[in-house]
mmCIF file of all heavy atoms in Angstrom:
data_model
loop_
_atom_site.group_PDB
_atom_site.id
_atom_site.type_symbol
_atom_site.label_atom_id
_atom_site.label_comp_id
_atom_site.label_asym_id
_atom_site.label_seq_id
_atom_site.Cartn_x
_atom_site.Cartn_y
_atom_site.Cartn_z
ATOM 1 N N ASP A 21 -24.917 10.141 21.671
ATOM 2 C CA ASP A 21 -26.260 10.294 22.212
ATOM 3 C C ASP A 21 -26.226 9.907 23.697
ATOM 4 O O ASP A 21 -25.189 9.542 24.244
ATOM 5 C CB ASP A 21 -27.262 9.457 21.418
ATOM 6 C CG ASP A 21 -27.010 7.975 21.579
ATOM 7 O OD1 ASP A 21 -26.061 7.597 22.301
ATOM 8 O OD2 ASP A 21 -27.751 7.187 20.978
ATOM 9 N N ALA A 58 -22.244 -5.186 6.750
ATOM 10 C CA ALA A 58 -22.043 -6.210 7.782
ATOM 11 C C ALA A 58 -23.340 -6.468 8.550
ATOM 12 O O ALA A 58 -24.036 -5.530 8.939
ATOM 13 C CB ALA A 58 -20.942 -5.772 8.738
ATOM 14 N N LEU A 62 -18.071 -9.956 15.180
ATOM 15 C CA LEU A 62 -17.482 -10.534 16.388
ATOM 16 C C LEU A 62 -16.539 -9.504 16.992
ATOM 17 O O LEU A 62 -15.712 -8.918 16.287
ATOM 18 C CB LEU A 62 -16.689 -11.804 16.030
ATOM 19 C CG LEU A 62 -15.845 -12.427 17.145
ATOM 20 C CD1 LEU A 62 -16.720 -12.926 18.304
ATOM 21 C CD2 LEU A 62 -14.995 -13.589 16.583
ATOM 22 N N MET A 135 -17.240 -9.125 9.963
ATOM 23 C CA MET A 135 -16.217 -8.232 10.515
ATOM 24 C C MET A 135 -15.843 -8.729 11.913
ATOM 25 O O MET A 135 -16.689 -9.239 12.640
ATOM 26 C CB MET A 135 -16.792 -6.813 10.578
ATOM 27 C CG MET A 135 -15.855 -5.751 11.091
ATOM 28 S SD MET A 135 -16.567 -4.109 10.665
ATOM 29 C CE MET A 135 -15.673 -3.093 11.813
ATOM 30 N N SER A 194 1.960 -9.436 7.532
ATOM 31 C CA SER A 194 2.828 -9.180 6.390
ATOM 32 C C SER A 194 2.971 -10.405 5.487
ATOM 33 O O SER A 194 3.097 -10.283 4.270
ATOM 34 C CB SER A 194 4.183 -8.666 6.914
ATOM 35 O OG SER A 194 5.236 -9.295 6.268
ATOM 36 N N ALA A 199 -5.317 -12.459 3.375
ATOM 37 C CA ALA A 199 -5.826 -11.137 3.745
ATOM 38 C C ALA A 199 -4.827 -10.081 3.323
ATOM 39 O O ALA A 199 -3.621 -10.344 3.265
ATOM 40 C CB ALA A 199 -6.049 -11.050 5.248
ATOM 41 N N GLN A 205 -1.417 4.855 12.179
ATOM 42 C CA GLN A 205 -1.205 5.383 13.531
ATOM 43 C C GLN A 205 -2.112 6.587 13.732
ATOM 44 O O GLN A 205 -2.402 7.340 12.814
ATOM 45 C CB GLN A 205 0.261 5.697 13.801
ATOM 46 C CG GLN A 205 0.937 6.646 12.854
ATOM 47 C CD GLN A 205 2.396 6.854 13.225
ATOM 48 O OE1 GLN A 205 2.806 6.685 14.372
ATOM 49 N NE2 GLN A 205 3.199 7.232 12.253
#
Side-chain angles (χ1 to χ4, degrees):
D21 66 0
L62 172 64
M135 182 165 161
S194 135
Q205 56 181 335

